[in-house]
Amino acid sequence: MANLIELIFKSDEKADLFNFIGELRQFDHRYLLRNDILLAFEEFCKAYEKPSSYSRNSRLSRLVYYTQEIILETESICLVYRPKIAKQEIYRIYEDLAVEALTVRELLDIRDDFVDHFHPEEGDVFEIDLQPFYDYSPMIRDPKNIGQGMQFINRYLSSKLFQDPRQWLDALFGFLSIHQYNGTTLLINGRIRNQRELSDQIKDCLSFVSRLPDTQSYEEFRFELQNMGFEAGWGNTAGRVKETLGILDELIDSPDDRVLEAFLSRIPMIFRIALVSIHGWFGQEAVLGRPDTGGQVVYIIDQARNLEKQLKEDITLAGLDSLQIEPKVIILTRLIPNSEGTKCNQRLERIHGTENVWILRVPFREYNPNITQNWVSRFEVWPYLETFAIDAEKELLAEFQGNPDLIVGNYSDGNLVAFLLARRLKVTQFNIAHALEKSKYLFSNLYWQDLENVYHFSLQFTADLIAMNAANCIISSTYQEIAGFPDSVGQYESYQSFTMPDLYHVVHGIELFSPKFNVVPPGVNETVYFPYSQEENRLSSKINQLEELLFVNEDSEHIFGVLEDPKKRPIFSMGRLDRIKNIAGLIDIFGHSTELQKRCNLIIVTGKLSVFEAANDQEREEIERVYHLINVYNLHGKIRWLGIRLPKTEAGEIYRVIADHRGIFVQSSLFEPFGLTILEAMVSGLPTFGTKFGGPLEIIQDQVNGFYINPTNLEETADKILEFITKCEENSGFWEFISKQAIERVQNHYTWTTHTKQLLSLARVYGFWNFTSKENREDMLRYLEALFYLIYKPQAKSLLDEHMQR
């Protein structure tokens, strides 16, 4: 940055920088974010008649492009520049163009000052700095490798095995010695007393099993292996045992990261998994579309179902069937007494199609029954989580008949409970955020006090800091979720430094280069979402009914709009009605283009279409906005709006019915952390247009298997859709080509089989890492506990006091 400014100062662009700063001062507001800055520069170039090459290739344009925010001060500007992913620099530029570099602490003071909460005296604000706790840990160096923590740890550990073989082989021997299931020893027994004997016995055992037929069952030679010191867990056949011991033998003789990963992936050490998701209506029927639920129920149930399937396969391959081991997965959530006809008031519910996957519901303790008897928003659950964790611990131990082997938190509240449980039970903790509210609500930390009565961000952001730093592993769906893109900040990156005026400053909140981060995208349920061309698997008895529902039926309180020409190509979208999902924005795009209206119908499916059904003000506002836009653009006869909740199987079939009509799917979210509906549409065969803001950028390859859109640019988005439709009309095979590419993209990269295999590999690798490394996490965990008791609990107590008055 300093070099870039120096180059600007030495060129004719110095005057342009001076003039551009002057133009910024014409703005009504003094805190400008990247979009504001880019628009201001675009207007500057027009006003000063700059050539188009200047706006793209000048030094000043580069400075502007990588500037994330500008704060206009009285005699200077403060500028936050992000030249690289996960790296920011801060500068103050004075009116005479003198420049000084600023520290993060100085930036946080400036932000406080901006909202009139300036603390001029040193030590006047609580400061959170977690950087020292990462100083002793190995770190990823290259930003492009952020999110590949498991590969990094495997390389690091294998190098340690090579550099200091005795110490690390002792640790490996110790690790193999601890595995058991319900008191039954696994892998090695007392006949092998140290790592030297282990190495020798491996070679003897390999010699023995090599003489057996590869298909011979483990049960037929188990006693011979026990005499050599090897218990169950190496394989179910002689061939499998030979492979596993061969990998271990190679690892001991010539350490290699790929060999280490291959060996750890076979260790039977995960049998009981707790998935924690607190705030939603969590069930299998009549819960989708409920407030704050979104796709979390679908994601977690599909994940749990596939985890059981993979665990059973792993147990069989390890040769543990004779021990009658039954893997168990429990989804821990809250019990809601007033469940409104759902099963959310039942303590235990088995997941359909599984043998041992359960929803375990634990109630919040009774404080004010008017609150705790009912559903509680994710913004309001905070006072109940500590006691929930205490009660849930007893329930989990009873259901598992022992400790879980892995606890996976979901969302901010579930991650905090996962931290509390893992801390007490000394179990590996994984976090999955799905979405971090801090990125969704602009200035949410800066103006937290103004928003506190609704959103309680002081609690949420504190919970996020505690849980994400405590976690052994953080799973994200995309790279951008962690570290963003070259021109935009990632969700976790936004926690690196921020201020909550009058509460605390975060100087260093999370280490993005930590190997705890891993990108593991979810899959789609292949029994529900599959290509429209698979006629043999489709719901033939429902297709005609869904056709009528989507295009023809008139007599229903859950349908608004009659299509003048149902044969026109359908533009389809499905989602809940909130500001971020931006269903109304798609109607705005459609209404903005008369050409789209001539050639297409717009069909949307949401949970509701009446303001009387709205669960909150935001949903009510979106419903009113939809009706307003339909009337303003006079879209009657061109739009069909279904306010229904469909069973999952019928929701899957709807995508395929739209594909039968050669329709398209448009996902118009203002921000999308991942994009599960995009996967569902693509694997069904629908050409898909997805928002460029968030995860869809990593799912879709633009112009190859789908298309990016900027839903805030109505004309540009309409033109992209029209361009595709024109190509389809000119080339009858173009729709089928994109459809096929979309299907292949999902089937090759986004399956639950791939997801669960990666998740379990991570659990084994991080279990080994925690056991063998000298990393001392206790000091960090103590620090995080202090944050919990000093900041979180007093804020939670204040919210509880408020709840008691309702």
PDB file of all heavy atoms in Angstrom, residues 9 13 23 41 77 173 178 282 293 323 346 355 439 464 487 512 516 539 558 562 587 642 673 685 717 743 751 756:
ATOM      1  N   PHE A   9       1.795   9.409  -5.749  1.00  0.00           N
ATOM      2  CA  PHE A   9       2.323  10.740  -5.446  1.00  0.00           C
ATOM      3  C   PHE A   9       3.363  11.194  -6.481  1.00  0.00           C
ATOM      4  O   PHE A   9       3.520  12.390  -6.719  1.00  0.00           O
ATOM      5  CB  PHE A   9       2.956  10.751  -4.058  1.00  0.00           C
ATOM      6  CG  PHE A   9       1.943  10.798  -2.935  1.00  0.00           C
ATOM      7  CD1 PHE A   9       0.585  10.775  -3.196  1.00  0.00           C
ATOM      8  CD2 PHE A   9       2.349  10.880  -1.617  1.00  0.00           C
ATOM      9  CE1 PHE A   9      -0.347  10.829  -2.176  1.00  0.00           C
ATOM     10  CE2 PHE A   9       1.427  10.936  -0.584  1.00  0.00           C
ATOM     11  CZ  PHE A   9       0.072  10.902  -0.870  1.00  0.00           C
ATOM     12  N   GLU A  13      -1.336  11.220 -11.113  1.00  0.00           N
ATOM     13  CA  GLU A  13      -2.522  10.773 -10.387  1.00  0.00           C
ATOM     14  C   GLU A  13      -2.620  11.362  -8.974  1.00  0.00           C
ATOM     15  O   GLU A  13      -3.626  11.183  -8.294  1.00  0.00           O
ATOM     16  CB  GLU A  13      -2.541   9.238 -10.318  1.00  0.00           C
ATOM     17  CG  GLU A  13      -2.692   8.591 -11.691  1.00  0.00           C
ATOM     18  CD  GLU A  13      -2.758   7.070 -11.609  1.00  0.00           C
ATOM     19  OE1 GLU A  13      -3.289   6.554 -10.599  1.00  0.00           O
ATOM     20  OE2 GLU A  13      -2.279   6.410 -12.532  1.00  0.00           O
ATOM     21  N   GLU A  23     -14.292  14.727  -3.653  1.00  0.00           N
ATOM     22  CA  GLU A  23     -15.608  14.256  -4.087  1.00  0.00           C
ATOM     23  C   GLU A  23     -16.270  13.390  -3.006  1.00  0.00           C
ATOM     24  O   GLU A  23     -17.487  13.424  -2.830  1.00  0.00           O
ATOM     25  CB  GLU A  23     -15.476  13.441  -5.387  1.00  0.00           C
ATOM     26  CG  GLU A  23     -15.091  14.261  -6.599  1.00  0.00           C
ATOM     27  CD  GLU A  23     -16.165  15.276  -6.968  1.00  0.00           C
ATOM     28  OE1 GLU A  23     -17.366  14.930  -6.905  1.00  0.00           O
ATOM     29  OE2 GLU A  23     -15.808  16.427  -7.304  1.00  0.00           O
ATOM     30  N   PHE A  41     -16.093   6.319  -7.178  1.00  0.00           N
ATOM     31  CA  PHE A  41     -14.998   6.401  -8.142  1.00  0.00           C
ATOM     32  C   PHE A  41     -15.537   6.397  -9.576  1.00  0.00           C
ATOM     33  O   PHE A  41     -15.019   7.113 -10.451  1.00  0.00           O
ATOM     34  CB  PHE A  41     -14.013   5.249  -7.939  1.00  0.00           C
ATOM     35  CG  PHE A  41     -12.771   5.357  -8.784  1.00  0.00           C
ATOM     36  CD1 PHE A  41     -11.875   6.396  -8.584  1.00  0.00           C
ATOM     37  CD2 PHE A  41     -12.509   4.426  -9.786  1.00  0.00           C
ATOM     38  CE1 PHE A  41     -10.731   6.507  -9.367  1.00  0.00           C
ATOM     39  CE2 PHE A  41     -11.374   4.519 -10.565  1.00  0.00           C
ATOM     40  CZ  PHE A  41     -10.479   5.567 -10.359  1.00  0.00           C
ATOM     41  N   ILE A  77      -8.797  11.330   6.022  1.00  0.00           N
ATOM     42  CA  ILE A  77      -9.621  10.136   5.845  1.00  0.00           C
ATOM     43  C   ILE A  77      -8.853   8.937   6.383  1.00  0.00           C
ATOM     44  O   ILE A  77      -7.627   8.876   6.289  1.00  0.00           O
ATOM     45  CB  ILE A  77     -10.012   9.901   4.367  1.00  0.00           C
ATOM     46  CG1 ILE A  77      -8.786   9.553   3.510  1.00  0.00           C
ATOM     47  CG2 ILE A  77     -10.757  11.095   3.797  1.00  0.00           C
ATOM     48  CD1 ILE A  77      -9.138   9.029   2.123  1.00  0.00           C
ATOM     49  N   PHE A 173       2.324 -45.091  19.029  1.00  0.00           N
ATOM     50  CA  PHE A 173       2.049 -46.310  19.798  1.00  0.00           C
ATOM     51  C   PHE A 173       1.040 -46.015  20.918  1.00  0.00           C
ATOM     52  O   PHE A 173       0.083 -46.770  21.129  1.00  0.00           O
ATOM     53  CB  PHE A 173       3.347 -46.865  20.394  1.00  0.00           C
ATOM     54  CG  PHE A 173       3.124 -47.947  21.409  1.00  0.00           C
ATOM     55  CD1 PHE A 173       2.799 -49.227  20.996  1.00  0.00           C
ATOM     56  CD2 PHE A 173       3.228 -47.682  22.774  1.00  0.00           C
ATOM     57  CE1 PHE A 173       2.571 -50.232  21.935  1.00  0.00           C
ATOM     58  CE2 PHE A 173       3.005 -48.666  23.712  1.00  0.00           C
ATOM     59  CZ  PHE A 173       2.675 -49.953  23.285  1.00  0.00           C
ATOM     60  N   ILE A 178      -4.897 -46.707  23.128  1.00  0.00           N
ATOM     61  CA  ILE A 178      -6.014 -46.205  23.941  1.00  0.00           C
ATOM     62  C   ILE A 178      -7.376 -46.595  23.411  1.00  0.00           C
ATOM     63  O   ILE A 178      -8.392 -46.396  24.077  1.00  0.00           O
ATOM     64  CB  ILE A 178      -5.961 -44.669  24.075  1.00  0.00           C
ATOM     65  CG1 ILE A 178      -6.160 -44.001  22.702  1.00  0.00           C
ATOM     66  CG2 ILE A 178      -4.666 -44.222  24.723  1.00  0.00           C
ATOM     67  CD1 ILE A 178      -6.323 -42.488  22.770  1.00  0.00           C
ATOM     68  N   PHE A 282     -36.996 -28.240  15.171  1.00  0.00           N
ATOM     69  CA  PHE A 282     -36.245 -29.350  14.593  1.00  0.00           C
ATOM     70  C   PHE A 282     -37.078 -30.621  14.617  1.00  0.00           C
ATOM     71  O   PHE A 282     -37.348 -31.201  15.661  1.00  0.00           O
ATOM     72  CB  PHE A 282     -34.921 -29.582  15.327  1.00  0.00           C
ATOM     73  CG  PHE A 282     -33.881 -30.161  14.430  1.00  0.00           C
ATOM     74  CD1 PHE A 282     -32.849 -29.382  13.934  1.00  0.00           C
ATOM     75  CD2 PHE A 282     -33.968 -31.478  14.011  1.00  0.00           C
ATOM     76  CE1 PHE A 282     -31.919 -29.916  13.051  1.00  0.00           C
ATOM     77  CE2 PHE A 282     -33.054 -32.023  13.143  1.00  0.00           C
ATOM     78  CZ  PHE A 282     -32.020 -31.238  12.658  1.00  0.00           C
ATOM     79  N   THR A 293     -35.404 -21.384  10.703  1.00  0.00           N
ATOM     80  CA  THR A 293     -35.072 -22.776  10.410  1.00  0.00           C
ATOM     81  C   THR A 293     -34.330 -22.884   9.087  1.00  0.00           C
ATOM     82  O   THR A 293     -33.239 -23.412   9.022  1.00  0.00           O
ATOM     83  CB  THR A 293     -36.347 -23.642  10.397  1.00  0.00           C
ATOM     84  OG1 THR A 293     -36.947 -23.599  11.681  1.00  0.00           O
ATOM     85  CG2 THR A 293     -36.000 -25.070  10.071  1.00  0.00           C
ATOM     86  N   LEU A 323     -18.298 -57.714  17.316  1.00  0.00           N
ATOM     87  CA  LEU A 323     -18.444 -57.044  18.614  1.00  0.00           C
ATOM     88  C   LEU A 323     -19.814 -56.403  18.775  1.00  0.00           C
ATOM     89  O   LEU A 323     -20.116 -55.820  19.812  1.00  0.00           O
ATOM     90  CB  LEU A 323     -17.358 -55.966  18.773  1.00  0.00           C
ATOM     91  CG  LEU A 323     -15.908 -56.451  18.732  1.00  0.00           C
ATOM     92  CD1 LEU A 323     -14.956 -55.287  18.924  1.00  0.00           C
ATOM     93  CD2 LEU A 323     -15.666 -57.516  19.789  1.00  0.00           C
ATOM     94  N   GLN A 346     -41.751 -33.820  21.604  1.00  0.00           N
ATOM     95  CA  GLN A 346     -41.401 -35.198  21.943  1.00  0.00           C
ATOM     96  C   GLN A 346     -39.919 -35.284  22.281  1.00  0.00           C
ATOM     97  O   GLN A 346     -39.084 -34.770  21.548  1.00  0.00           O
ATOM     98  CB  GLN A 346     -41.721 -36.143  20.785  1.00  0.00           C
ATOM     99  CG  GLN A 346     -43.196 -36.258  20.471  1.00  0.00           C
ATOM    100  CD  GLN A 346     -43.473 -37.286  19.377  1.00  0.00           C
ATOM    101  OE1 GLN A 346     -42.590 -38.033  18.974  1.00  0.00           O
ATOM    102  NE2 GLN A 346     -44.714 -37.299  18.914  1.00  0.00           N
ATOM    103  N   GLU A 355     -31.354 -46.736  11.547  1.00  0.00           N
ATOM    104  CA  GLU A 355     -31.474 -47.690  12.644  1.00  0.00           C
ATOM    105  C   GLU A 355     -31.190 -47.045  13.995  1.00  0.00           C
ATOM    106  O   GLU A 355     -31.799 -47.404  14.992  1.00  0.00           O
ATOM    107  CB  GLU A 355     -30.508 -48.868  12.421  1.00  0.00           C
ATOM    108  CG  GLU A 355     -30.840 -49.715  11.198  1.00  0.00           C
ATOM    109  CD  GLU A 355     -29.859 -50.861  11.012  1.00  0.00           C
ATOM    110  OE1 GLU A 355     -29.149 -51.204  11.982  1.00  0.00           O
ATOM    111  OE2 GLU A 355     -29.802 -51.411   9.896  1.00  0.00           O
ATOM    112  N   SER A 439     -21.833 -10.818   9.198  1.00  0.00           N
ATOM    113  CA  SER A 439     -21.646 -10.463   7.792  1.00  0.00           C
ATOM    114  C   SER A 439     -22.956 -10.068   7.121  1.00  0.00           C
ATOM    115  O   SER A 439     -22.952  -9.355   6.118  1.00  0.00           O
ATOM    116  CB  SER A 439     -21.030 -11.644   7.025  1.00  0.00           C
ATOM    117  OG  SER A 439     -19.808 -12.022   7.599  1.00  0.00           O
ATOM    118  N   ASP A 464     -19.779 -16.392  19.279  1.00  0.00           N
ATOM    119  CA  ASP A 464     -19.008 -16.784  18.091  1.00  0.00           C
ATOM    120  C   ASP A 464     -17.517 -16.801  18.398  1.00  0.00           C
ATOM    121  O   ASP A 464     -16.805 -17.753  18.037  1.00  0.00           O
ATOM    122  CB  ASP A 464     -19.286 -15.813  16.941  1.00  0.00           C
ATOM    123  CG  ASP A 464     -20.655 -16.011  16.301  1.00  0.00           C
ATOM    124  OD1 ASP A 464     -21.200 -17.125  16.420  1.00  0.00           O
ATOM    125  OD2 ASP A 464     -21.179 -15.064  15.708  1.00  0.00           O
ATOM    126  N   ASP A 487     -11.454  -9.453  -3.585  1.00  0.00           N
ATOM    127  CA  ASP A 487     -12.010  -8.108  -3.443  1.00  0.00           C
ATOM    128  C   ASP A 487     -13.056  -7.993  -2.329  1.00  0.00           C
ATOM    129  O   ASP A 487     -13.720  -6.971  -2.204  1.00  0.00           O
ATOM    130  CB  ASP A 487     -12.631  -7.649  -4.764  1.00  0.00           C
ATOM    131  CG  ASP A 487     -13.716  -8.591  -5.263  1.00  0.00           C
ATOM    132  OD1 ASP A 487     -13.955  -9.613  -4.597  1.00  0.00           O
ATOM    133  OD2 ASP A 487     -14.314  -8.303  -6.310  1.00  0.00           O
ATOM    134  N   LEU A 512      -7.065 -16.894  10.699  1.00  0.00           N
ATOM    135  CA  LEU A 512      -7.536 -17.520   9.471  1.00  0.00           C
ATOM    136  C   LEU A 512      -6.548 -18.547   8.925  1.00  0.00           C
ATOM    137  O   LEU A 512      -6.939 -19.452   8.178  1.00  0.00           O
ATOM    138  CB  LEU A 512      -7.804 -16.463   8.399  1.00  0.00           C
ATOM    139  CG  LEU A 512      -8.850 -15.399   8.735  1.00  0.00           C
ATOM    140  CD1 LEU A 512      -9.013 -14.449   7.563  1.00  0.00           C
ATOM    141  CD2 LEU A 512     -10.185 -16.029   9.083  1.00  0.00           C
ATOM    142  N   LYS A 516      -7.121 -25.314  11.751  1.00  0.00           N
ATOM    143  CA  LYS A 516      -8.422 -25.813  12.209  1.00  0.00           C
ATOM    144  C   LYS A 516      -9.499 -25.637  11.137  1.00  0.00           C
ATOM    145  O   LYS A 516     -10.531 -26.301  11.185  1.00  0.00           O
ATOM    146  CB  LYS A 516      -8.849 -25.123  13.507  1.00  0.00           C
ATOM    147  CG  LYS A 516      -9.274 -23.671  13.353  1.00  0.00           C
ATOM    148  CD  LYS A 516      -9.944 -23.135  14.616  1.00  0.00           C
ATOM    149  CE  LYS A 516      -9.055 -23.223  15.824  1.00  0.00           C
ATOM    150  NZ  LYS A 516      -9.727 -22.736  17.046  1.00  0.00           N
ATOM    151  N   LEU A 539     -41.894 -39.434  -8.924  1.00  0.00           N
ATOM    152  CA  LEU A 539     -43.185 -39.652  -8.268  1.00  0.00           C
ATOM    153  C   LEU A 539     -44.287 -39.578  -9.319  1.00  0.00           C
ATOM    154  O   LEU A 539     -44.993 -38.569  -9.446  1.00  0.00           O
ATOM    155  CB  LEU A 539     -43.423 -38.594  -7.189  1.00  0.00           C
ATOM    156  CG  LEU A 539     -42.410 -38.520  -6.041  1.00  0.00           C
ATOM    157  CD1 LEU A 539     -42.746 -37.358  -5.118  1.00  0.00           C
ATOM    158  CD2 LEU A 539     -42.387 -39.819  -5.258  1.00  0.00           C
ATOM    159  N   HIS A 558     -54.118 -20.958  -1.165  1.00  0.00           N
ATOM    160  CA  HIS A 558     -52.666 -20.938  -1.087  1.00  0.00           C
ATOM    161  C   HIS A 558     -52.008 -20.594  -2.427  1.00  0.00           C
ATOM    162  O   HIS A 558     -50.801 -20.737  -2.574  1.00  0.00           O
ATOM    163  CB  HIS A 558     -52.143 -22.294  -0.608  1.00  0.00           C
ATOM    164  CG  HIS A 558     -52.666 -22.701   0.729  1.00  0.00           C
ATOM    165  ND1 HIS A 558     -52.411 -21.980   1.876  1.00  0.00           N
ATOM    166  CD2 HIS A 558     -53.467 -23.744   1.101  1.00  0.00           C
ATOM    167  CE1 HIS A 558     -53.005 -22.566   2.905  1.00  0.00           C
ATOM    168  NE2 HIS A 558     -53.654 -23.633   2.462  1.00  0.00           N
ATOM    169  N   VAL A 562     -53.236 -16.289 -11.809  1.00  0.00           N
ATOM    170  CA  VAL A 562     -53.612 -17.232 -12.861  1.00  0.00           C
ATOM    171  C   VAL A 562     -52.812 -16.887 -14.108  1.00  0.00           C
ATOM    172  O   VAL A 562     -52.811 -15.737 -14.557  1.00  0.00           O
ATOM    173  CB  VAL A 562     -55.127 -17.153 -13.164  1.00  0.00           C
ATOM    174  CG1 VAL A 562     -55.487 -18.096 -14.302  1.00  0.00           C
ATOM    175  CG2 VAL A 562     -55.939 -17.462 -11.918  1.00  0.00           C
ATOM    176  N   ILE A 587     -38.983 -10.682  -8.318  1.00  0.00           N
ATOM    177  CA  ILE A 587     -40.186 -10.112  -8.940  1.00  0.00           C
ATOM    178  C   ILE A 587     -39.875  -8.738  -9.517  1.00  0.00           C
ATOM    179  O   ILE A 587     -40.341  -8.371 -10.602  1.00  0.00           O
ATOM    180  CB  ILE A 587     -41.328 -10.037  -7.907  1.00  0.00           C
ATOM    181  CG1 ILE A 587     -41.689 -11.444  -7.437  1.00  0.00           C
ATOM    182  CG2 ILE A 587     -42.543  -9.318  -8.479  1.00  0.00           C
ATOM    183  CD1 ILE A 587     -42.638 -11.490  -6.264  1.00  0.00           C
ATOM    184  N   LEU A 642     -47.170 -19.498  -5.010  1.00  0.00           N
ATOM    185  CA  LEU A 642     -47.695 -20.576  -4.177  1.00  0.00           C
ATOM    186  C   LEU A 642     -47.190 -20.410  -2.754  1.00  0.00           C
ATOM    187  O   LEU A 642     -45.978 -20.447  -2.510  1.00  0.00           O
ATOM    188  CB  LEU A 642     -47.248 -21.946  -4.717  1.00  0.00           C
ATOM    189  CG  LEU A 642     -48.008 -22.534  -5.921  1.00  0.00           C
ATOM    190  CD1 LEU A 642     -47.862 -21.650  -7.145  1.00  0.00           C
ATOM    191  CD2 LEU A 642     -47.503 -23.936  -6.229  1.00  0.00           C
ATOM    192  N   PRO A 673     -24.773 -17.798   2.085  1.00  0.00           N
ATOM    193  CA  PRO A 673     -23.572 -18.433   2.634  1.00  0.00           C
ATOM    194  C   PRO A 673     -23.123 -19.645   1.836  1.00  0.00           C
ATOM    195  O   PRO A 673     -21.933 -19.861   1.626  1.00  0.00           O
ATOM    196  CB  PRO A 673     -24.010 -18.839   4.045  1.00  0.00           C
ATOM    197  CG  PRO A 673     -25.163 -17.964   4.365  1.00  0.00           C
ATOM    198  CD  PRO A 673     -25.851 -17.677   3.071  1.00  0.00           C
ATOM    199  N   GLY A 685     -31.495 -30.849 -12.919  1.00  0.00           N
ATOM    200  CA  GLY A 685     -31.341 -30.579 -14.340  1.00  0.00           C
ATOM    201  C   GLY A 685     -31.768 -29.196 -14.763  1.00  0.00           C
ATOM    202  O   GLY A 685     -31.866 -28.906 -15.953  1.00  0.00           O
ATOM    203  N   THR A 717     -29.319  -8.330 -14.697  1.00  0.00           N
ATOM    204  CA  THR A 717     -29.796  -9.683 -14.423  1.00  0.00           C
ATOM    205  C   THR A 717     -30.837 -10.110 -15.437  1.00  0.00           C
ATOM    206  O   THR A 717     -30.796 -11.241 -15.960  1.00  0.00           O
ATOM    207  CB  THR A 717     -30.380  -9.769 -12.998  1.00  0.00           C
ATOM    208  OG1 THR A 717     -29.356  -9.427 -12.055  1.00  0.00           O
ATOM    209  CG2 THR A 717     -30.895 -11.164 -12.701  1.00  0.00           C
ATOM    210  N   ILE A 743     -25.973 -30.988 -13.807  1.00  0.00           N
ATOM    211  CA  ILE A 743     -26.115 -32.281 -13.128  1.00  0.00           C
ATOM    212  C   ILE A 743     -24.748 -32.869 -12.809  1.00  0.00           C
ATOM    213  O   ILE A 743     -24.489 -33.325 -11.685  1.00  0.00           O
ATOM    214  CB  ILE A 743     -26.934 -33.257 -14.009  1.00  0.00           C
ATOM    215  CG1 ILE A 743     -28.383 -32.783 -14.120  1.00  0.00           C
ATOM    216  CG2 ILE A 743     -26.874 -34.671 -13.440  1.00  0.00           C
ATOM    217  CD1 ILE A 743     -29.191 -33.496 -15.194  1.00  0.00           C
ATOM    218  N   THR A 751     -21.797 -34.484  -2.987  1.00  0.00           N
ATOM    219  CA  THR A 751     -22.590 -35.624  -2.517  1.00  0.00           C
ATOM    220  C   THR A 751     -22.379 -35.808  -1.023  1.00  0.00           C
ATOM    221  O   THR A 751     -21.327 -35.458  -0.476  1.00  0.00           O
ATOM    222  CB  THR A 751     -22.197 -36.921  -3.245  1.00  0.00           C
ATOM    223  OG1 THR A 751     -20.864 -37.294  -2.855  1.00  0.00           O
ATOM    224  CG2 THR A 751     -22.254 -36.739  -4.759  1.00  0.00           C
ATOM    225  N   THR A 756     -19.510 -36.977   4.230  1.00  0.00           N
ATOM    226  CA  THR A 756     -19.373 -37.729   5.480  1.00  0.00           C
ATOM    227  C   THR A 756     -18.020 -38.427   5.574  1.00  0.00           C
ATOM    228  O   THR A 756     -17.455 -38.538   6.666  1.00  0.00           O
ATOM    229  CB  THR A 756     -20.517 -38.744   5.636  1.00  0.00           C
ATOM    230  OG1 THR A 756     -20.657 -39.498   4.425  1.00  0.00           O
ATOM    231  CG2 THR A 756     -21.818 -38.031   5.913  1.00  0.00           C
TER     232      THR A 756
END
